[in-house]
Amino acid sequence: MVLEGSSEALCPPPSLELRPSCNKSQPSPPLGSCSTPHDGLFPGDKEPVKYGELIVLGHNGSLANGDKGRRRSRLALYKRPKANGVKPDVIHNVSTPLVSKALSNKSQHSISYTLSRSHSVIVEYTHDTNTDMFQIGRSTESMIDFVVTDTAGSSTSGGGGGWQVQGAAGEGVGGGGQSAQSTISRYACRIMCERNAPYTARIYAAGFDSSKNIFLGERAAKWRTSDGLMDGLTTNGVLVMHPAGDFVSEPAPGVWREISVCGNVFALRETRSAQQRGKLVENESNTLQDGSLIDLCGATLLWRTPTGLRRTPTLKQLESLRQELNAARPQCPVGFNTLAFPSLARREIVDKKQPWVYVNCGHVHGYHNWGYRKDKGHNVGPGGMAPASTGERECPMCRRVGPYVPLWLGCEGGLYLDAGPPTHAFCPCGHVCSEKTVAGWSQIPLPHGTHAFHAACPFCGTWLTGEQGHIKLIFQGPVD
């Protein structure tokens, strides 16, 4: 690592032509620019080339206020009509006060590494006709293809533990940001997709701003590589976890790593915003595969390939599964009233016929306002329904005490591992999906609170509880 103010940092050659890549294990490192989400349609093409889809965890099919434009819970990446990728070209060593002048060419992509108050390194990038670039971040500026904000289910406070974070450096409400407290960077990362088969997608930390620049300030972790190039990390980092096996057939979690600006893979830093990088992991790459998870310190994204998505249920299939559940006429074993899962369009709105479950045993009932064992002074809400979070209930079937919550069908098909029947539910939130899906996600530790890892429901982001994090549902059939 090159230390700030060292002779190696201060006396490099004035300029250097770069090879096609700053990542030794990969060909040219892709970076991103702007475009509409579905501009991969070519005149005369029957079907556009889809690179893959990004799905934000914690949103059950759409954002709370609805998907609008580039701010949505799911985005498909298509081949662009014209390549917009870039690759490193020339490196310049300049005096820090002259950086702004050196970056005056707004048609030129570049990355600036500030090594000290007197010295900076600028890496110029040139157009790459073989790649498409997509940028992700909190900013609503036009160069960001996918606008991502903090997920409500995940904590963004850094309290406790070793994984302390900082608010994205220099990022307030202005510049297209959403909140001064957000830990998601305005220009968080970029994904580069090869325009030719097999359409490999690679991820890189940081995205280019409206001036087509990436700035790594004096406090950012940065260093000169063994081949004389530069690399660095963003303030709170971009973490990636590739599945250990096939995401669908053999779901098993991998190891969380950090991705650098040049796409190299590192072990996690001691703290999330530490200036000292982790150890280089040479046998792993930044190539995304089906089931790869991307954490932006406030929101976690799932990458699904077209092949992987073909094995997940469509919205139409989910609706068919819902109708099959209701056609079986499940009944409350106490009130004997018929239960029914509400329409997928009515998610998060509790229906009178909606099934409820005791999450410690799996017995499914209709709603009833009795059986409290704790918090006896609970408040009853509108319509005689008490909030699901108030106290615990005793199951009248087996006498086990625990949370009692409404059941919701998982509406985001891209989070499913198969199209199996919805027989299980996550605990304690009550989101229902297939057995393989609950078993797979219950094994995956997701970054939470920016300082810890915990398995969570992919549909709402709630931390999983209990021995397994999920329960098999026990329905009572009709008595007739």
Side-chain angles (χ1 to χ4, degrees):
M1 179 175 181
V2 179
L3 298 177
E4 190 178 298
S6 68
S7 58
E8 185 181 355
L10 297 176
C11 305
S15 65
L16 175 69
E17 288 191 8
L18 298 184
R19 303 182 184 226
S21 172
C22 60
N23 182 352
K24 294 184 288 184
S25 61
Q26 306 296 333
S28 61
L31 310 163
S33 175
C34 65
S35 180
T36 55
H38 298 282
D39 60 357
L41 290 168
F42 293 82
D45 277 5
K46 293 183 179 180
E47 187 176 346
V49 174
K50 180 191 284 188
Y51 297 127
E53 293 196 28
L54 290 165
I55 303 170
V56 184
L57 302 189
H59 300 287
N60 193 16
S62 68
L63 299 180
N65 296 324
D67 292 347
K68 300 174 183 177
R70 293 171 294 129
R71 192 196 301 264
R72 53 202 309 110
S73 66
R74 179 171 178 166
L75 180 73
L77 274 55
Y78 289 88
K79 186 176 182 179
R80 299 184 187 276
K82 183 179 179 181
N84 71 330
V86 294
K87 57 186 177 182
D89 186 26
V90 179
I91 184 170
H92 300 285
N93 295 277
V94 300
S95 171
T96 296
L98 299 178
V99 168
S100 59
K101 185 176 181 180
L103 298 177
S104 59
N105 183 4
K106 292 191 176 182
S107 64
Q108 178 84 51
H109 287 82
S110 63
I111 301 181
S112 172
Y113 301 86
T114 302
L115 301 181
S116 70
R117 294 183 179 180
S118 60
H119 177 237
S120 295
V121 175
I122 298 175
V123 180
E124 290 184 354
Y125 281 68
T126 188
H127 181 59
D128 184 0
T129 59
N130 298 315
T131 59
D132 285 335
M133 180 169 66
F134 302 88
Q135 300 209 134
I136 305 165
R138 178 169 51 88
S139 172
T140 57
E141 294 172 275
S142 61
M143 84 292 303
I144 297 298
D145 298 283
F146 193 14
V147 179
V148 178
T149 54
D150 297 83
T151 302
S154 61
S155 169
T156 55
S157 62
W163 275 67
Q164 302 294 331
V165 302
Q166 299 176 7
E171 296 177 6
V173 176
Q178 303 302 315
S179 167
Q181 285 73 40
S182 176
T183 50
I184 299 176
S185 172
R186 288 176 295 175
Y187 319 107
C189 67
R190 59 197 190 274
I191 292 177
M192 299 291 284
C193 301
E194 294 183 358
R195 292 173 61 83
N196 299 313
Y199 308 112
T200 303
R202 297 187 176 92
I203 185 169
Y204 300 79
F208 293 98
D209 62 17
S210 58
S211 299
K212 298 185 178 180
N213 298 317
I214 294 174
F215 291 93
L216 291 181
E218 199 172 345
R219 294 183 179 181
K222 72 191 81 66
W223 59 91
R224 193 178 299 279
T225 62
S226 58
D227 50 5
L229 307 181
M230 294 297 300
D231 202 355
L233 305 174
T234 55
T235 303
N236 289 330
V238 174
L239 308 187
V240 171
M241 185 182 77
H242 303 304
D246 182 86
F247 184 60
V248 174
S249 61
E250 299 178 0
V255 179
W256 282 100
R257 305 295 193 191
E258 182 164 8
I259 303 298
S260 72
V261 171
C262 288
N264 291 300
V265 182
F266 293 86
L268 301 184
R269 287 179 268 182
E270 185 175 343
T271 63
R272 184 113 192 197
S273 57
Q275 290 185 278
Q276 178 65 46
R277 71 182 188 271
K279 185 179 179 181
L280 176 68
V281 183
E282 297 187 18
N283 62 339
E284 296 182 21
S285 78
N286 62 337
T287 300
L288 297 176
Q289 60 192 73
D290 188 45
S292 291
L293 289 165
I294 304 165
D295 186 73
L296 304 180
C297 193
T300 304
L301 284 60
L302 172 68
W303 172 259
R304 297 305 307 263
T305 62
T307 300
L309 287 170
R310 282 194 287 271
R311 294 187 278 181
T312 62
T314 63
L315 199 58
K316 185 176 181 180
Q317 289 172 320
L318 289 175
E319 173 61 21
S320 178
L321 290 172
R322 184 190 74 87
Q323 293 179 7
E324 288 178 17
L325 277 174
N326 292 344
R329 295 173 58 207
Q331 289 188 342
C332 175
V334 176
F336 300 110
N337 51 307
T338 301
L339 308 176
F341 282 87
S343 165
L344 298 183
R346 287 178 56 83
R347 66 192 86 167
E348 309 307 326
I349 301 176
V350 179
D351 188 84
K352 290 182 178 180
K353 293 185 177 181
Q354 187 154 346
W356 288 60
V357 67
Y358 290 90
V359 299
N360 282 353
C361 60
H363 284 111
V364 178
H365 292 251
Y367 179 78
H368 50 257
N369 193 25
W370 45 265
Y372 282 92
R373 305 292 287 187
K374 296 180 181 179
D375 191 17
K376 305 241 180 193
H378 64 275
N379 297 319
V380 178
M385 290 191 175
S389 60
T390 58
E392 294 187 332
R393 306 285 194 92
E394 180 184 80
C395 174
M397 302 297 291
C398 65
R399 301 300 182 183
R400 292 194 65 177
V401 176
Y404 174 65
V405 299
L407 291 175
W408 306 97
L409 195 63
C411 299
E412 178 51 80
L415 300 176
Y416 281 68
L417 299 185
D418 65 356
T423 57
H424 289 65
F426 286 105
C427 301
C429 60
H431 279 103
V432 180
C433 54
S434 67
E435 180 180 9
K436 191 171 189 178
T437 300
V438 295
W441 282 103
S442 297
Q443 301 178 58
I444 299 175
L446 298 174
H448 269 275
T450 62
H451 65 276
F453 295 86
H454 202 289
C457 171
F459 299 106
C460 66
T462 301
W463 286 25
L464 300 185
T465 59
E467 293 182 6
Q468 297 179 315
H470 58 85
I471 192 75
K472 179 177 173 60
L473 298 176
I474 304 173
F475 288 94
Q476 168 76 46
V479 294
D480 57 0

